[in-house]
Amino acid sequence: MWVTNFVALCLLATSASGEEKKLSSHASTLADNSANLAFSLYHNMAKEKNLENILISPVVVASSLGLVALGGKSSTASQVKTVLSVDKVKDEHLHSGLSELLTEVSNSTARNVTWKISNRLYGPSSVNFADDFVKNSKKHYNVEHSKINFRDKRSAVNSINEWASKSTDGKLPEITKDVEKTDGAMIVNAMFFKPHWNEKFHHKMVDNRGFLVTRSYTISVPMMHRTGLYKFHEDTENKLFVLEMPLAHKMSSMVFIMPYHVEPLERLEKLLTRKQLNTWMSKMEEKAVAVSLPKVSMEVSHNLQKYLAELGLTEAVDKNKADLSNISGKKDLYLSNVFHASALEWDTEGNPFDASIFGTEKLRNPKLFYADHPFIFLVKDNKTNSILFIGRLIRPKGDKMRDEL
């Protein structure tokens, strides 16, 4: 009898472990809302003149906002909930939900991507971090804490950059050249993200081509090429292509949105909403596509403080109104900087490709997706429906190509 029970228990355990763990309702809500935040924040940043490449992780921004809520009291904390559209969510559910979401999407093993995320809260040398705040911010947001003395500004800035470089294995050598406001609390996100394609590019199918930043300015970049079956949509009305390329394990994918020809991205950005993205995605069909992508390595750092203020986080960033007294036990801090920095690489690496379809009808007359001019891209998580990254590539690394007659 005990043998039967033992076998039954083993079968139960096997079936239970095989079930995919679902997100809690709070984490699902925050995943959904962080995706809305992605578009609001992107649009605010895209208005900035002289800003070229953009790269932000909405789920990491949301967790930084959660840290502000944890450190804040009264309306300073409640503004965070308004920005995240979760006014009715209890504090403990906000923090546990954001923690669960970030843990889920940054699971490098499950998703077969490289994603290193390091977060640090810097405070002036005069501040004393409260024990409860330190404990809870580490628990929910995996945040390190550090005092910094800006009397020697060059040394302080070097210290921040050295920490970011070390925490990303040298992929992000510099967060900032200067810090203007040095009298408040500063949140720093340092990330390195490297996706692995569900089907790799052949490493020999890489050559140098021209990337047209504008019609009159071209940069030489390594371009990688492959033909495969991908979800693809051509929006003839708006003169653009949308391509979805699954990442390894197919738990997330990269989505590229590119105009037909070289043009400023402003027109596309006016179209870019979550509703419009969903419309494009719903119209996609699996087709043979000949893909040419620049082999990208980009490092982008943004100070998000003013953009978050424009979205409604006005108190935390105001020295006269901020109540961040949970951080130190005193009402002596405001949020002076939110540095959000990422290094992103995509190259040929990925899973082995399906060679059996080559030379078959499936790959006849492929559509062409030739990314040799500025485009918008997203990393979309298929399990949580959140957006892991949103950005644009306007100027990749490379040397200017000389004009030829």
Side-chain angles (χ1 to χ4, degrees):
M1 183 71 180
W2 69 270
V3 174
T4 310
N5 288 341
F6 179 74
V7 171
L9 280 168
C10 286
L11 286 169
L12 258 173
T14 305
S15 65
S17 64
E19 284 179 14
E20 193 175 288
K21 187 185 172 190
K22 290 186 177 178
L23 285 182
S24 69
S25 60
H26 307 298
S28 295
T29 298
L30 286 155
D32 196 54
N33 292 4
S34 70
N36 292 329
L37 176 69
F39 294 96
S40 306
L41 192 52
Y42 179 93
H43 281 296
N44 271 11
M45 297 174 75
K47 291 175 195 167
E48 186 90 16
K49 288 183 179 176
N50 304 319
L51 183 63
E52 292 183 325
N53 299 338
I54 291 176
L55 184 58
I56 48 174
S57 171
V59 290
V60 174
V61 174
S63 73
S64 293
L65 287 169
L67 182 66
V68 175
L70 189 66
K73 284 185 179 177
S74 59
S75 51
T76 300
S78 62
Q79 274 191 347
V80 172
K81 290 184 178 180
T82 303
V83 172
L84 289 173
S85 304
V86 287
D87 297 88
K88 293 178 182 176
V89 172
K90 291 180 180 177
D91 286 355
E92 61 266 29
H93 293 149
L94 172 71
H95 303 308
S96 64
L98 284 170
S99 176
E100 183 186 345
L101 173 63
L102 196 59
T103 301
E104 168 62 45
V105 298
S106 62
N107 184 335
S108 292
T109 307
R111 281 169 164 66
N112 197 14
V113 298
T114 300
W115 195 8
K116 293 178 183 294
I117 305 169
S118 297
N119 302 304
R120 186 174 259 198
L121 178 72
Y122 286 95
S125 51
S126 57
V127 76
N128 287 313
F129 295 111
D131 290 344
D132 271 2
F133 175 77
V134 169
K135 182 180 77 175
N136 288 322
S137 56
K138 280 183 178 176
K139 174 186 171 184
H140 294 300
Y141 302 112
N142 199 25
V143 171
E144 301 173 27
H145 306 79
S146 180
K147 295 183 185 185
I148 192 160
N149 189 342
F150 274 104
R151 282 182 184 169
D152 182 351
K153 190 187 264 196
R154 182 180 290 181
S155 175
V157 170
N158 285 345
S159 172
I160 294 165
N161 288 332
E162 282 168 13
W163 168 79
S165 178
K166 187 178 179 183
S167 61
T168 56
D169 296 334
K171 298 292 185 179
L172 194 62
E174 186 176 86
I175 293 273
T176 185
K177 285 181 166 53
D178 190 21
V179 177
E180 289 179 20
K181 298 174 185 173
T182 60
D183 57 344
M186 179 165 58
I187 296 173
V188 183
N189 311 130
M191 292 168 278
F192 171 56
F193 185 82
K194 183 177 180 179
H196 299 251
W197 306 110
N198 188 54
E199 288 195 340
K200 66 183 178 183
F201 289 74
H202 197 291
H203 67 279
K204 289 185 177 177
M205 295 286 285
V206 179
D207 56 8
N208 283 333
R209 301 279 179 104
F211 185 96
L212 290 82
V213 177
T214 64
R215 289 185 183 274
S216 59
Y217 190 88
T218 304
I219 287 174
S220 174
V221 298
M223 192 80 82
M224 49 194 196
H225 316 274
R226 81 176 310 272
T227 301
L229 295 174
Y230 294 108
K231 287 184 178 176
F232 180 84
H233 172 61
E234 180 178 355
D235 183 339
T236 51
E237 183 184 344
N238 290 307
K239 298 182 171 57
L240 58 88
F241 302 110
V242 187
L243 171 71
E244 182 178 13
M245 296 182 69
L247 303 181
H249 294 195
K250 296 187 178 180
M251 293 181 77
S252 54
S253 54
M254 290 201 73
V255 179
F256 299 92
I257 306 161
M258 184 178 70
Y260 283 177
H261 308 294
V262 186
E263 63 171 275
L265 289 178
E266 188 179 354
R267 180 182 69 84
L268 252 69
E269 287 167 341
K270 284 180 180 173
L271 296 171
L272 186 66
T273 61
R274 193 173 182 193
K275 184 179 178 183
Q276 181 61 68
L277 178 68
N278 290 339
T279 300
W280 284 327
M281 300 298 284
S282 69
K283 292 181 177 179
M284 295 182 101
E285 295 176 11
E286 189 171 76
K287 295 181 178 179
V289 186
V291 178
S292 293
L293 282 179
K295 190 178 171 185
V296 163
S297 167
M298 61 192 286
E299 298 90 41
V300 185
S301 181
H302 305 290
N303 190 347
L304 299 182
Q305 193 226 36
K306 71 173 182 177
Y307 304 116
L308 293 172
E310 287 166 7
L311 293 180
L313 195 77
T314 56
E315 282 201 14
V317 302
D318 188 323
K319 191 189 296 189
N320 299 314
K321 293 180 181 176
D323 184 353
L324 295 173
S325 51
N326 280 340
I327 294 179
S328 65
K330 297 177 184 175
K331 201 174 172 181
D332 57 352
L333 283 175
Y334 78 109
L335 188 62
S336 56
N337 299 278
V338 182
F339 286 111
H340 186 80
S342 308
L344 171 69
E345 286 181 9
W346 68 69
D347 57 18
T348 58
E349 291 178 25
N351 291 341
F353 46 77
D354 178 9
S356 68
I357 62 171
F358 291 108
T360 68
E361 287 291 314
K362 287 182 178 180
L363 293 188
R364 281 195 68 183
N365 302 319
K367 297 287 184 180
L368 184 65
F369 189 89
Y370 191 79
D372 69 340
H373 54 279
F375 55 83
I376 295 167
F377 63 89
L378 304 97
V379 182
K380 184 175 168 292
D381 188 61
N382 299 323
K383 180 178 177 182
T384 65
N385 209 26
S386 57
I387 292 171
L388 308 187
F389 278 93
I390 183 170
R392 68 184 184 193
L393 181 67
I394 289 179
R395 185 190 293 266
K397 290 179 189 173
D399 297 324
K400 185 184 182 213
M401 295 179 77
R402 64 187 179 87
D403 297 328
E404 299 203 8
L405 296 174

